[in-house]
Amino acid sequence: MKKNFLFLPFLFFILISWRSAYASHIRMDSPPIRHLHIVKSIIEERMDKIEVMAHAHAEMLMQFQQYLSETQSEMNILRNKIEQNQYFLSKIKEDLNSESLSYKKAVSLMHERKYIPAIEALKSFIHDHPHSSYQPMAHYFLGQIYSNIGKKDDALYFFALLAKKYASSPQVPDALLKVGILIQEKGQKDQAKTIYKKIMQFYPNTDSAKKARLQLSQLN
């Protein structure tokens, strides 16, 4: 009995030591439960932020891809328009070259006094290039050629047609003067006088007006 009594302090000492060691182990190796909750909360908050950022990044990426697609589409449209304009410009250039060559060829034949080929060339030019700026001169030269070869009615037709179709052309006063002279030669003096007066009225400061005044004085 005495031995058991003596052994009690030893057991008590072991229990105290083991309790202290266990408590120390808990403090060193296992964080408190409340710390685990804090860490978990922080991790969840960060994961939420990462998820929001990832979603925003995906949204921006989709918008950027859509922008690239729209830009590419607009660039394709612009490229097509540029190609079309280049094609039209090349055609215009070809037409202008063809127009100029045709006109110069016809005028050259006229100056060489090759009147029949010149007439054919000028008529072809008028037909093939209806909007050309050379149209008034082509009509004038046709009238002049027909006048030179004695075809007065044909000459009268092209001079009158020039005055009618291209009223703002600088060739109109001279063409009207030619009309007046041709009509005068046909014996239609009163009509010739009317034309001369019109030239003097509407084109007073031109050489054609001076010549019309001279023609008119010879008829009076």
Side-chain angles (χ1 to χ4, degrees):
M1 186 70 181
K2 185 177 181 180
K3 288 182 179 180
N4 291 337
F5 181 79
L6 291 173
F7 187 67
L8 286 175
F10 177 73
L11 290 176
F12 181 76
F13 173 77
I14 290 175
L15 287 172
I16 294 299
S17 299
W18 179 83
R19 182 181 178 185
S20 299
Y22 178 77
S24 176
H25 175 74
I26 292 299
R27 285 195 302 270
M28 293 178 62
D29 297 335
S30 301
I33 298 301
R34 61 187 183 85
H35 289 175
L36 288 176
H37 286 304
I38 293 173
V39 171
K40 181 180 178 182
S41 176
I42 292 172
I43 291 173
E44 289 177 348
E45 183 179 353
R46 290 183 178 179
M47 289 298 294
D48 290 341
K49 290 182 179 179
I50 291 172
E51 186 177 353
V52 171
M53 291 174 63
H55 179 74
H57 178 73
E59 181 104 14
M60 291 177 62
L61 184 60
M62 289 179 61
Q63 291 178 356
F64 184 67
Q65 288 176 339
Q66 183 178 359
Y67 170 77
L68 287 178
S69 177
E70 293 175 353
T71 302
Q72 185 65 40
S73 178
E74 291 175 356
M75 288 180 65
N76 290 335
I77 294 172
L78 181 60
R79 187 181 297 109
N80 290 335
K81 288 184 178 180
I82 291 173
E83 290 176 354
Q84 289 176 1
N85 289 338
Q86 288 176 339
Y87 172 77
F88 290 139
L89 286 173
S90 66
K91 293 297 292 182
I92 290 172
K93 187 176 180 180
E94 290 177 5
D95 291 343
L96 288 175
N97 289 336
S98 173
E99 171 188 325
S100 179
L101 288 173
S102 298
Y103 176 75
K104 289 179 179 179
K105 179 182 178 181
V107 173
S108 177
L109 289 170
M110 183 188 67
H111 289 320
E112 294 172 4
R113 297 181 182 276
K114 298 178 180 179
Y115 291 138
I116 302 304
I119 289 172
E120 293 176 356
L122 285 168
K123 285 183 176 180
S124 295
F125 173 81
I126 289 172
H127 178 270
D128 295 339
H129 306 283
H131 304 295
S132 171
S133 59
Y134 296 123
Q135 281 282 336
M137 285 303 303
H139 282 74
Y140 182 85
F141 285 142
L142 274 172
Q144 190 62 51
I145 292 172
Y146 278 123
S147 181
N148 290 345
I149 62 178
K151 293 189 174 182
K152 306 297 183 180
D153 289 338
D154 290 330
L156 187 61
Y157 170 78
F158 280 101
F159 284 134
L161 185 61
L162 164 60
K164 181 180 179 181
K165 287 182 66 176
Y166 307 101
S168 60
S169 171
Q171 279 74 43
V172 169
D174 197 43
L176 287 175
L177 179 65
K178 302 286 187 183
V179 169
I181 293 172
L182 289 169
I183 288 177
Q184 183 180 341
E185 291 176 354
K186 290 170 68 71
Q188 300 174 3
K189 294 183 180 180
D190 289 339
Q191 293 184 15
K193 286 181 181 181
T194 301
I195 292 173
Y196 295 146
K197 290 177 181 178
K198 292 293 184 182
I199 295 171
M200 293 166 57
Q201 178 183 357
F202 292 106
Y203 309 99
N205 299 320
T206 63
D207 290 337
S208 298
K210 295 178 182 179
K211 293 176 181 178
R213 186 176 291 107
L214 180 62
Q215 292 291 130
L216 186 61
S217 65
Q218 293 174 356
L219 289 175
N220 290 331

